[in-house]
């Protein structure tokens, strides 16, 4: 029997990843935006520009966060926060935390998502606000997000030090680790405003849908029509984000929420990386209206929807299995399972069920395969003239392979011999028969 591990990494890993996140990710966001919007999506063109103009050239293309960028971010953030606080929703309980707390949420994600998209499209339709303004100030918006999110993470650190919301918090004694990995698992403002729901779901994931629609509208306003490649890309991204909000209460049971604390790593990532990098295939398509033809477009759309559905079904299967305590059908049969016990940080012994059939019997993290393929299918409408639109798929593959290992390590130290038994029954980590 193992004890539940703490999610604190070694100082050297933290320093290295913090330094690279701080020094490489912000310039990368700006370079990616510049290449997509001003250099025809061509890495070579940007490379030539950088070679000729050096550091000064890079400083010249870095947009300053302007007043309009701050206004757009402030209005969007305040609107999403208001929806999170005031729209009605079912009361949902999260999983028991390592310190024995059970967070309570209001499940109003789908309603917030619908209200956001209807409002955004309504503002455009009635001529009140044109989403092309967002695209035209995208560089300034990303620049403002880079700095604003850093300041927000300082706020999270100070809050964790002086006013933590629950006992699932605390310092490691190392200021850099505390800032980077976070102080609190469930930080809140007041009793009801959950900060991680805001950063990860209502700001980060919602911005993905809002920007996908923005790119589509920008192409329409520039060319007078929307290409079938853009339609497939936007439709698949919207199906994915819709799926996310449909399943949002399930997301509150995942590693991001139940294990990773609110620090620079996860919050900066959701506030900056999701809006800029995750949406980048659509950003590329704005100026590249590729025509696929109905047959190819529909085939890509169908393949993408199937992958997103399978990814959803994997998550649903695991959660339904846990919710019913194993008393459900998995692929039409009683599930095969392992009863695994573990010890919490407070010394209590608890048990969890591990599903070893259905999707979870194919590989221990099979759900990452359709996640990666789904991303491939909303990128492939860009065809293969440029490499950069595929950056997200490559990044996601590396992220998820690392996450599978991180999750395996965590589960191994939590469940000990029971996890070993699971690994014997289901030997592959991600891809059945291969890895
Ligand atoms: P989950 O947290 O949903 O699943 C892993 C957890 O499930 C483990 O930590 C363990 O937690 C439990 N578990 C593991 N094996 C079993 C089993 N056999 N039976 C029952 N429970 C088990 O994983 P993720 O957070 O990584 O993924 C959730 C979703 O988010 C996926 O759809 C994924 O594709 C997506 N995702 C997307 C990303 C993106 O950037 N686009 C990034 C990361 C995820 P416990 O301690 O409870 O036992």
């Amino acid at each position: 029997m193992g004890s539940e591990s703490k999610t604190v990494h070694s100082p050297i890993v933290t320093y290295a990843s913090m330094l690279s996140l701080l020094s490489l990710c912000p310039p990368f966001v700006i370079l990616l935006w510049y290449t997509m919007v001003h250099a025809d999506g061509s890495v070579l063109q940007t490379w030539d520009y950088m070679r000729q103009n050096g550091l000064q050239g890079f400083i010249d293309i870095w947009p300053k966060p302007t007043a309009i960028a701050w206004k757009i971010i402030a209005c969007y953030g305040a609107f999403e926060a208001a929806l999170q606080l005031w729209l009605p929703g079912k009361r949902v309980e999260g999983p028991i935390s390592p310190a024995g707390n059970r967070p309570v949420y209001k499940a109003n994600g789908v309603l917030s998502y619908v209200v956001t998209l209807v409002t955004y499209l309504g503002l455009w339709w009635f001529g009140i606000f044109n989403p092309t303004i967002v695209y035209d100030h995208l560089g300034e918006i990303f620049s403002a997000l880079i700095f604003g999110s850093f300041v927000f993470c300082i706020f999270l650190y100070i809050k964790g030090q002086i006013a933590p919301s629950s006992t699932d918090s605390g310092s490691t004694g190392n200021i850099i680790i505390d800032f980077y990995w976070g102080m609190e698992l469930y930080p809140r403002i007041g009793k009801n405003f959950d900060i991680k729901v805001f950063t990860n779901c209502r700001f980060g994931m919602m911005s993905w849908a809002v920007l996908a629609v923005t790119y589509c509208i920008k192409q329409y306003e520039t060319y007078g029509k929307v290409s079938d490649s853009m339609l497939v890309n936007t439709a698949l991204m919207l199906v994915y984000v819709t799926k996310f909000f449909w399943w949002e209460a399930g997301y509150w049971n995942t590693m991001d929420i139940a294990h990773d604390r609110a620090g620079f790593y996860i919050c900066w990532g959701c506030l900056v990386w999701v809006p800029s990098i995750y949406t980048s295939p659509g950003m590329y398509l704005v100026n590249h209206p590729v025509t696929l033809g109905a047959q190819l477009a529909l085939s890509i759309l169908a393949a993408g929807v199937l992958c997103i559905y399978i990814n959803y079904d994997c998550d649903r299967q695991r959660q339904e299995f846990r919710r019913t305590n194993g008393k459900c059908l998995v692929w039409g049969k009683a599930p095969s399972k392992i009863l695994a016990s573990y010890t919490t940080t407070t010394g209590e012994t608890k048990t969890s069920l591990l599903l070893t059939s259905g999707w979870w019997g194919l590989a221990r993290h099979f759900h990452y395969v359709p996640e990666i393929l789904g991303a491939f299918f909303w990128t492939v409408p860009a065809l293969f003239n440029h490499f950069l639109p595929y950056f997200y798929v490559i990044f996601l593959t590396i992220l998820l392979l690392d996450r599978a290992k991180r999750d395996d390590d965590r589960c191994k130290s939590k469940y000990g011999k029971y996890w070993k038994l699971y690994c014997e029954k289901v030997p592959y980590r991600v891809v059945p028969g291969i890895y």
Side-chain angles (χ1 to χ4, degrees), residues 93-107:
E93 292 188 347
I96 296 185
S97 69
N101 301 312
R102 198 185 267 286
V104 174
Y105 300 99
K106 186 157 68 163

Side-chain angles (χ1 to χ4, degrees), residues 225-241:
K225 63 183 176 105
V226 182
S227 61
D228 54 8
S229 50
M230 180 60 112
L231 282 177
V232 172
N233 170 269
T234 311
L236 284 178
M237 284 188 176
L238 288 182
V239 169
Y240 182 86
V241 182

Side-chain angles (χ1 to χ4, degrees), residues 11 20 87 107 183 241 288-289 306 344 357 400 425:
S20 47
L87 283 182
M183 298 279 300
V241 182
H288 299 85
L306 180 67
T344 66
S357 59
L400 293 182
K425 271 190 116 171

